[in-house]
Amino acid sequence: MRLNKLTSVSLAVTAALAIAGCSQKQEAPAAGAASAPAAAATGSAIKIGFAAPLTGPQAHYGEEYKNGVTLAIEDANAEKPTIDGKPVSFELVAEDDQADPKTATQMAQKFVDNKVAGIIGHFNSGCAIPASKIYSDAGIPMIAMATSPVFTTQGFKNTFRSMTSDTQQGSVMGKFVVDKLNAKKIVIVDDRTAYGQGLADEFEKAVKAAGGQVLKREFTNDKATDFAAILTSIKSVSPDVVFYGGADAQSAPMAKQMKRLGLKAPLISGEMTKTPNFLQLAGKEAEGTIASLAGLPLDKMPKGNDYAARYKARFKMDVATYSPYGYDATRVLIAAMKQANSADPAKYMPVLAKMEYKDGVTSSNWAYDAKGDLKDGGITVYKVQNGQWTVMETVGGGAAAPAAASAAQ
C-alpha cells in the first residue's frame, strides 16, 4: 500500500514536470515575437505604431490619417516584402492619444514596451513633441504629422515630418494676405495649442515683415465654441482679415459667429480648417473662408488621382486632407527598412534620414534635411466658393512634380 502511494506520488511529480516543460516551450516563441527586430529576422510581423486622436472632436482627422497608413501597409504586404532574405509582413498597431499630451506620452511608453519598429504619428504637435523624447530615448524613429517648428528643433535624431512645418506655412500665409489680399489691418486668434499658437506666431512674423499691422492678438482654447466676446472686441477695430490658428471644431463656429455679428473681414486659417468637416459645420457661413494646406492639391499630386480612386474603393469615402501624407510616410518608413535590410531602428534610421523617395503620392522628391524637415514642401492656398474648397494659389512644393514623377518612372 505504501509502495502504491509512493508510486502514485512519483507519477504525479513526473507528470507535473512534463506539463511545466511543455508550457515553457509554448511560451518561448511569444517572447521572441514581441521584438520588432527579432520579427524581421524570423520572418514574422514587423510592428508599426500609429498614434492620433481616434475619439473626440478631432477623431475625423485621426481616422482619415489612419486610413492612409492602413492602405500603405496593405499595399506593402501585397508586394510580399523580404528583409534579410526572409519574408516579412507589416502589422499596424494603432492607439488613440485623444489629442492629449499626457495620454500621448502614455501611448508612447506603451509602444516602446511593445517594441514597435517605428511610429507614424503623432498627429498633433502638442502630442508629438512630448512623445518624441520617449521615442528618442528608446531609439525609435517617428514620422509625425505635427507641424510645430519645435518638433524638429529639439536635437533628436528620430524626428521626421509628413508635412511642411508651420514656419513655412505661416510665412506663406502672412505674406499672402498682405501682398495678395491687400490686407493691412490684421487680427490674430489662436487656441494656445502647440500647433495653433505656433502657426499664429509664424503668421504674425510674416505679416509684419510684409508691412502689415497686427491690431490685436487674442486667444481661446481647443474646446471653446462661443466666441462672442472675442469677436465683439475684434469688430470694434474693423480688421481687414481675421486669422485663426487652430482646428475646425473652433474655426467653423467662429466663421458662423463672425457673419452673424456683421464682421466683414474674411476668416483666414491653416490646414486643420481646410477640411470637409469645416464646410459641414460652418454651412453657408463658410463662404469666403481662406485656408492653407501643405503640398499640392490632390489632383496635382504625382499620384493623387490614382490614390483618390483606390482610397474611395477601399474606404467608401473621399480623401479629406491627411491620408495621402500618412500613406507616404508609412511607405517611406518601410522603404528605409527594406533598403537597410533590417527592421532594427538602429540600422534603418540612418537610412531614413538620407532617404530620397521618388515614388510618393504627395511628392516625387520626398527627402529630409538634417533636422528631419521635408526639403521640398510647398503650400496651397484655398478659398471656399459656392460651398467648396477651391484653389487660389500654390507656392513652391514642386509644381512640376507630376512631370518629374513620370520621368523617374
Side-chain angles (χ1 to χ4, degrees):
M1 196 71 181
R2 180 184 174 93
L3 181 61
N4 288 341
K5 287 182 178 179
L6 288 171
T7 302
S8 298
V9 171
S10 298
L11 289 172
V13 171
T14 302
L17 288 172
I19 291 170
C22 289
S23 176
Q24 288 172 355
K25 287 179 182 177
Q26 290 171 349
E27 290 172 0
S35 169
T42 59
S44 56
I46 297 169
K47 298 176 184 178
I48 296 177
F50 169 83
L54 300 175
T55 57
Q58 294 192 29
H60 58 293
Y61 297 131
E63 286 293 347
E64 195 230 352
Y65 183 15
K66 180 186 171 187
N67 287 347
V69 176
T70 298
L71 187 57
I73 287 177
E74 290 175 352
D75 285 352
N77 286 336
E79 295 165 359
K80 306 209 177 294
T82 61
I83 290 180
D84 196 24
K86 300 177 180 66
V88 298
S89 63
F90 298 95
E91 174 189 342
L92 176 62
V93 182
E95 295 287 352
D96 176 16
D97 67 17
Q98 302 172 34
D100 175 65
K102 183 178 179 180
T103 303
T105 57
Q106 294 170 347
M107 294 300 98
Q109 189 58 55
K110 185 175 180 180
F111 282 132
V112 171
D113 294 342
N114 201 14
K115 299 191 183 302
V116 299
I119 301 291
I120 303 297
H122 296 230
F123 176 79
N124 303 85
S125 296
C127 292
I129 292 168
S132 64
K133 174 65 165 62
I134 296 171
Y135 299 131
S136 177
D137 289 346
I140 300 174
M142 61 186 298
I143 305 181
M145 199 68 74
T147 57
S148 169
V150 175
F151 175 63
T152 53
T153 58
Q154 301 174 94
F156 301 150
K157 294 182 179 180
N158 69 314
T159 52
F160 303 90
R161 293 191 193 277
S162 298
M163 303 180 82
T164 55
S165 76
D166 293 334
T167 301
Q168 183 173 6
Q169 190 170 174
S171 297
V172 167
M173 288 305 288
K175 183 175 175 56
F176 181 85
V177 298
V178 175
D179 292 350
K180 299 297 177 68
L181 300 183
N182 296 315
K184 302 301 180 184
K185 299 184 297 179
I186 292 133
V187 169
I188 300 172
V189 185
D190 74 75
D191 65 0
R192 295 288 100 172
T193 65
Y195 161 74
Q197 185 175 353
L199 181 62
D201 288 345
E202 297 300 328
F203 175 81
E204 181 176 7
K205 291 177 191 175
V207 163
K208 291 177 177 178
Q213 180 185 5
V214 176
L215 302 177
K216 276 179 173 286
R217 180 78 188 256
E218 303 280 356
F219 65 89
T220 181
N221 63 72
D222 61 353
K223 306 293 188 297
T225 55
D226 182 357
F227 305 102
I230 290 175
L231 293 177
T232 300
S233 174
I234 289 172
K235 184 179 178 181
S236 68
V237 299
S238 302
D240 296 325
V241 301
V242 175
F243 180 86
Y244 178 67
D248 56 16
Q250 283 67 51
S251 60
M254 185 177 290
K256 293 171 74 76
Q257 291 165 38
M258 285 173 64
K259 295 286 177 65
R260 290 170 186 175
L261 278 171
L263 258 168
K264 302 200 180 294
L267 179 66
I268 314 290
S269 193
E271 84 279 350
M272 289 183 78
T273 288
K274 197 272 164 185
T275 65
N277 194 57
F278 173 83
L279 299 177
Q280 182 178 354
L281 292 174
K284 63 182 181 180
E285 284 89 358
E287 201 72 12
T289 299
I290 295 172
S292 57
L293 175 64
L296 300 166
L298 183 63
D299 63 349
K300 297 294 189 295
M301 290 178 183
K303 295 186 177 180
N305 290 329
D306 173 71
Y307 178 81
R310 295 196 307 112
Y311 183 92
K312 188 163 188 175
R314 172 64 177 83
F315 300 106
K316 313 304 179 191
M317 64 181 72
D318 292 326
V319 174
T321 307
Y322 296 100
S323 73
Y325 300 94
Y327 180 92
D328 275 358
T330 308
R331 295 291 277 176
V332 168
L333 191 78
I334 290 171
M337 294 181 195
K338 292 168 71 175
Q339 189 171 317
N341 210 22
S342 175
D344 182 345
K347 294 180 180 178
Y348 84 79
M349 189 156 58
V351 175
L352 175 62
K354 297 179 181 179
M355 176 68 65
E356 293 185 2
Y357 190 70
K358 303 294 185 182
D359 202 28
V361 170
T362 61
S363 173
S364 59
N365 185 30
W366 185 295
Y368 292 109
D369 65 15
K371 292 187 298 183
D373 291 334
L374 289 166
K375 290 182 179 179
D376 186 23
I379 300 294
T380 299
V381 183
Y382 298 82
K383 183 177 183 179
V384 180
Q385 294 181 307
N386 300 317
Q388 300 294 323
W389 288 110
T390 59
V391 175
M392 294 184 73
E393 181 177 333
T394 297
V395 181
S406 299
Q409 292 169 0

